[in-house]
Amino acid sequence: LEQSLHSVQCVYGDQQNRKFLHFTCHPVFGRTRRALLLLCLCLWLLIYPLDAKLRCLLLSMAYSFVEYNFTFFERGKAYTSLAQFLANVVYMPVLVDLYGHFLQNPILYVLLFPANIWLLEILQGRAIHWIYGRNVAWCYADYADELFGGLIRLGHAIWWWALGAALWLFYPGIYMASLRVAQLATLTR
């Protein structure tokens, strides 16, 4: 339990890092790690079309505000990290576009959405840990229902079902709006 509390304190109690907007910013140590992070962001810029980039940024920013406020109610301190925001920006097409491509049934989409989030948390958590030397974005190690070393929490399923339902309802509109904005941006060039 002491190790778990220490891990949680390292994430949510760290006051030594800089802030940008509402994000806590952590340093990336090591040339290889910085290069990999830069490579991922460059690939994101080169590979994804403008409409996908707009959706990634919009959804990641919206989630950052949800996360910031959720941790206040869950932990007593508002918190989100730039690391998680960047990971969400890169991973968002998998989370919403690819997932929605394979799950067209609304009941299955919502019912299985927690598994989609838990896969995101495992993959992002390990990537963030590799880049930053630890997971600076979240830690559920102090909960009895945590798995994968504090990367996922089963008790959050209810919140992930709600997020899945919201995305099922609103994502088509977000998708169409991002296409229109991207088309307008290309017309003005």
Side-chain angles (χ1 to χ4, degrees):
L1 183 62
E2 277 187 42
Q3 177 65 30
S4 297
L5 292 175
H6 175 71
S7 297
V8 170
Q9 184 64 22
C10 284
V11 173
Y12 303 106
D14 193 354
Q15 302 295 327
Q16 298 174 0
N17 293 301
R18 291 177 290 138
K19 296 283 257 185
F20 174 71
L21 301 174
H22 62 296
F23 299 108
T24 299
C25 304
H26 300 84
V28 178
F29 298 107
R31 184 174 290 163
T32 304
R33 292 173 179 181
R34 283 193 296 270
L36 180 65
L37 181 59
L38 186 61
L39 176 66
C40 287
L41 294 174
C42 286
L43 286 173
W44 179 84
L45 282 169
L46 293 171
I47 292 173
Y48 293 137
L50 180 58
D51 61 294
K53 290 176 195 160
L54 292 171
R55 288 191 302 277
C56 290
L57 290 169
L58 174 72
L59 292 172
S60 296
M61 185 59 79
Y63 183 75
S64 76
F65 287 112
V66 170
E67 176 75 8
Y68 187 77
N69 289 294
F70 185 81
T71 56
F72 177 77
F73 291 108
E74 185 179 53
R75 301 258 179 207
K77 179 185 178 204
Y79 180 85
T80 193
S81 68
L82 187 61
Q84 184 174 5
F85 173 77
L86 294 174
N88 284 342
V89 165
V90 171
Y91 194 82
M92 197 59 66
V94 174
L95 181 71
V96 290
D97 293 320
L98 190 63
Y99 181 77
H101 176 76
F102 288 107
L103 284 169
Q104 308 263 326
N105 179 302
I107 294 170
L108 287 177
Y109 184 97
V110 173
L111 190 64
L112 296 175
F113 201 76
N116 189 22
I117 293 290
W118 292 326
L119 178 62
L120 168 149
E121 290 180 323
I122 292 166
L123 295 174
Q124 284 188 6
R126 296 217 169 141
I128 290 169
H129 185 272
W130 189 84
I131 290 171
Y132 292 89
R134 64 185 174 94
N135 186 349
V136 298
W138 70 89
C139 182
Y140 304 130
D142 57 332
Y143 290 100
D145 61 345
E146 65 83 19
L147 295 172
F148 298 96
L151 290 178
I152 71 169
R153 180 169 182 225
L154 299 177
H156 281 170
I158 192 161
W159 303 110
W160 303 142
W161 283 319
L163 180 59
L167 283 170
W168 178 263
L169 292 173
F170 298 111
Y171 188 68
I174 293 168
Y175 184 88
M176 294 307 297
S178 68
L179 283 175
R180 287 189 194 111
V181 170
Q183 288 171 344
L184 288 173
T186 56
L187 290 175
T188 60
R189 287 186 195 178

